[in-house]
Amino acid sequence: MAAAFWNSEASRVGGRIARVHTADVDCKGYVHHASEADPHYEIRSDRTDRVALQKDRALRRLHD
């Protein structure tokens, strides 16, 4: 998917949305309760290659 910059609850993140989860998903030992109505976005950092899961309402697209 296209690269984008996002503001997450913790900090500004530059990366790519790798997947959109619409069902519960385990990430780093924590179950994220995602659904069609409340999807979670798997974002891979361009800088560190680390993966983070964020809710839609915690993200704001800044630009492409």
Side-chain angles (χ1 to χ4, degrees):
M1 293 189 172
F5 290 93
W6 303 85
N7 273 340
S8 74
E9 293 172 329
S11 65
R12 184 180 229 179
V13 178
R16 296 181 182 272
I17 297 175
R19 293 181 63 188
V20 178
H21 296 276
T22 56
D24 291 355
V25 59
D26 186 311
C27 181
K28 302 175 187 175
Y30 177 79
V31 177
H32 293 262
H33 298 286
S35 66
E36 288 282 338
D38 189 21
H40 288 223
Y41 294 84
E42 184 175 316
I43 302 171
R44 183 168 303 276
S45 170
D46 287 339
R47 188 171 53 93
T48 65
D49 209 35
R50 292 181 69 185
V51 172
L53 285 175
Q54 296 288 340
K55 292 183 178 185
D56 181 43
R57 64 183 171 265
L59 299 170
R60 185 169 61 100
R61 189 176 195 144
L62 298 174
H63 56 71
D64 286 333

